[in-house]
Amino acid sequence: MSPVRAARELLHGTISAVGLAAGHRIVVGAWHRSPIGAFADVMWAEPDGTRLLLARDERTADYVAGIYLFDRIEVVRLEWTATPSTLSLHAGQLQVDLAASGGRRVSVPRPWWFTRWVEGPIARRLMGVDVHGTSPLGVEEWYQARAWRWIHDGQVRIAGEDQGPLGPPRPPLRVGFSEPPPRPSIIDVAVRLRRPP
């Protein structure tokens, strides 16, 4: 089944991002609402820079790979639960459990132009992120944070092996136009997409 591709699309969920001592960088999108229903995806940059996408099925893989740039795509068994402050995910050989606290909530509704022109410079200066841009495949994106929390506890296992302390997701993953904050975090976010004609 081909993915849904509307002119404008909205997603709401969380983005969790961590780095590991061996050089892996992992970003998990856990989407409670999207054009293809609830799903989670894993964007994984390996120590050598290889960009890997893990998805539960071909439809999800096609949807995410239609926005971002990857070197390899794997369809794996993927189970997840997520809240604005926690993530538990098992995807193939990868197991992630995270808990976050603190940070800030931004519950005031605001238009998307405000996110681009007003929040954009603030987010860039304070958190080192871009909230509006165009993906490598030409999809225009807006990221509107509803809350952000810093990860204070968690564990990542690869093939059953604990990967040790969690750190910043750096160096960049380079799958899209922006990177997650330079500190392990869980962001509660709404995303707007506009595909090219």
Side-chain angles (χ1 to χ4, degrees):
M1 184 183 298
S2 63
V4 175
R5 289 196 170 93
R8 294 184 181 182
E9 303 162 30
L10 295 175
L11 299 88
H12 183 248
T14 60
I15 299 174
S16 305
V18 297
L20 306 173
H24 299 275
R25 289 89 71 201
I26 294 171
V27 175
V28 177
W31 306 106
H32 296 289
R33 293 198 301 273
S34 87
I36 61 169
F39 74 93
D41 64 273
V42 179
M43 301 180 185
W44 181 351
E46 297 178 328
D48 65 359
T50 300
R51 298 161 298 183
L52 171 64
L53 170 65
L54 301 182
R56 67 184 179 187
D57 53 37
E58 294 287 352
R59 187 175 191 234
T60 304
D62 288 347
Y63 185 80
V64 179
I67 305 167
Y68 305 101
L69 197 60
F70 301 97
D71 301 303
R72 196 166 80 245
I73 298 171
E74 294 182 8
V75 173
V76 299
R77 180 177 178 183
L78 194 155
E79 299 174 346
W80 61 282
T81 58
T83 72
S85 59
T86 64
L87 172 72
S88 179
L89 173 137
H90 196 167
Q93 63 176 335
L94 178 70
Q95 187 170 348
V96 180
D97 291 285
L98 304 173
S101 61
R104 290 181 178 270
R105 287 189 56 82
V106 186
S107 56
V108 178
R110 64 268 194 206
W112 293 102
W113 66 261
F114 185 89
T115 296
R116 177 178 181 178
W117 298 110
V118 179
E119 293 179 49
I122 296 171
R124 194 175 303 113
R125 184 171 66 251
L126 296 183
M127 299 185 68
V129 300
D130 290 308
V131 298
H132 174 267
T134 301
S135 81
L137 298 181
V139 180
E140 188 176 10
E141 300 178 84
W142 292 255
Y143 287 83
Q144 193 173 89
R146 306 296 172 87
W148 63 90
R149 297 174 174 85
W150 308 124
I151 293 171
H152 62 79
D153 189 26
Q155 183 181 59
V156 175
R157 292 179 175 271
I158 300 175
E161 184 176 343
D162 184 1
Q163 297 299 301
L166 306 179
R170 295 293 185 271
L173 281 77
R174 303 189 189 284
V175 299
F177 71 87
S178 186
E179 298 294 328
R183 180 175 174 181
S185 59
I186 298 178
I187 311 295
D188 184 3
V189 66
V191 179
R192 181 193 191 199
L193 307 178
R194 183 165 63 190
R195 297 181 185 271

